[in-house]
Amino acid sequence: LLLRELSRIHELGWIPAKSLTKYGTERRCKGQNCGGLTLEAELGIRPNSRAEPDFLGWEVKQHDVGRFSRPKKTSITLLTPNPDLGHFAELPLANFIQRYGYADAKGRSGRLNFGGVHRVGQKHDRTGLLLGFNGFDPRDPRRFDPEGALTLTTVQGDVAAAWSFAKLLSHWNQKHEHAVYVPAVKDQRDGVQYYRYGHEIEDGIGTDFTRLLKAMSERAVYFDPGMKLVVREGRPPQSKGRSQFRVRSDMLENLYTQWI
């Protein structure tokens, strides 16, 4: 059924960017993540925050390849769980960004950002935070402490944010036991985004949590948040947060038992 649907979507050719509302109605999509939203809309997947596979037990991931004939290496979002420990869990999002964010690089006044690629063992230049493990030793990657966590700490050791292994394990094992990766190319015409989906897909079948932790320790999987706080005179502060872990497309097969 999944292959039949993906074949149908491929044969549609160029599809105007769209997404579904929670009521199942279509709406026009604008932004960087419309490739995935358009594919999900065609599959009838409505927006939700549940840590479950998208379609008939399969996690469906779209990734931009530039062109089908010579696909480029790209970064793919694997998971989007918010931290459940540390200051992120204790403070309102606006307060967290005020504490750990930085001035907008484009000079937009009244805006603070919290973003950038954070890899295990490397302090980030702008946030000053270090991504690391508590309860996992990369030298013995087949074991981990169930009470451990992935941590984002200051140089003084304060925990700005952390993900308990219990939360990460639940998200990973539930969503990625069966995953399909669909290539896509993008076009823009008269201010409208269009997407076309390829027929050569890749499947990841079977995984375990230590594969994810090992990939993080090797810096193949990294934390790449997209958070901002905008403060304008006469208006209440507006904050937006997105926590995401990403991986390079050529490193995907290391996360699964079978790669087809």
Side-chain angles (χ1 to χ4, degrees):
L1 289 174
L2 173 62
L3 291 174
R4 187 183 302 164
E5 279 296 286
L6 293 177
S7 177
R8 175 189 65 80
I9 294 169
H10 163 69
E11 292 173 359
L12 289 175
W14 291 104
I15 304 172
K18 60 185 176 182
S19 63
L20 293 183
T21 68
K22 63 180 180 180
Y23 303 107
T25 56
E26 291 186 2
R27 61 186 174 189
R28 185 175 171 182
C29 185
K30 295 181 180 180
Q32 297 295 320
N33 61 339
C34 289
L37 291 174
T38 302
L39 180 59
E40 290 178 355
E42 280 294 334
L43 290 170
I45 301 168
R46 302 183 188 185
N48 67 79
S49 58
R50 299 189 303 271
E52 298 174 359
D54 295 317
F55 186 85
L56 300 176
W58 286 80
E59 179 74 359
V60 180
K61 293 288 186 182
Q62 168 270 342
H63 61 108
D64 175 32
V65 295
R67 53 181 173 169
F68 296 131
S69 59
R70 294 184 63 185
K72 65 181 180 180
K73 297 173 183 177
T74 56
S75 294
I76 300 174
T77 300
L78 287 174
L79 297 169
T80 57
N82 279 329
D84 57 336
L85 301 169
H87 292 151
F88 185 95
E90 299 165 357
L91 300 173
L93 179 59
N95 293 38
F96 176 83
I97 298 174
Q98 284 176 330
R99 179 175 295 190
Y100 295 106
Y102 50 85
D104 183 69
K106 296 181 180 179
R108 288 170 285 195
S109 92
R111 174 166 167 164
L112 292 176
N113 295 328
F114 182 83
V117 171
H118 294 70
R119 288 188 168 91
V120 167
Q122 294 180 341
K123 187 179 79 167
H124 193 271
D125 290 339
R126 290 185 173 172
T127 66
L129 300 177
L130 179 69
L131 192 64
F133 294 114
N134 179 10
F136 174 72
D137 185 351
R139 294 169 296 183
D140 188 9
R142 290 181 292 180
R143 299 179 60 186
F144 66 93
D145 181 356
E147 301 297 323
L150 177 70
T151 62
L152 200 58
T153 59
T154 66
V155 292
Q156 293 81 20
D158 296 328
V159 180
W163 297 259
S164 65
F165 284 168
K167 179 169 185 175
L168 284 178
L169 186 152
S170 174
H171 274 255
W172 179 250
N173 284 1
Q174 288 185 44
K175 289 180 74 70
H176 283 268
E177 183 63 26
H178 298 86
V180 60
Y181 294 86
V182 183
V185 293
K186 176 183 174 182
D187 193 15
Q188 183 129 356
R189 309 171 206 159
D190 301 323
V192 179
Q193 294 176 194
Y194 289 82
Y195 291 90
R196 187 179 179 188
Y197 300 91
H199 68 284
E200 294 185 359
I201 64 171
E202 294 173 300
D203 301 335
I205 302 173
T207 189
D208 60 71
F209 187 51
T210 56
R211 286 177 180 265
L212 178 64
L213 295 182
K214 186 172 184 293
M216 288 179 173
S217 71
E218 294 171 347
R219 300 172 182 167
V221 174
Y222 52 89
F223 179 52
D224 187 15
M227 305 184 192
K228 67 177 181 180
L229 173 65
V230 179
V231 180
R232 292 192 177 96
E233 188 175 350
R235 296 184 183 181
Q238 293 182 319
S239 58
K240 183 178 180 180
R242 179 174 173 84
S243 298
Q244 57 186 8
F245 291 91
R246 311 190 80 195
V247 63
R248 273 192 8 165
S249 56
D250 59 330
M251 304 296 289
L252 275 170
E253 60 183 295
N254 297 330
L255 295 169
Y256 298 96
T257 306
Q258 298 181 62
W259 184 250
I260 305 171

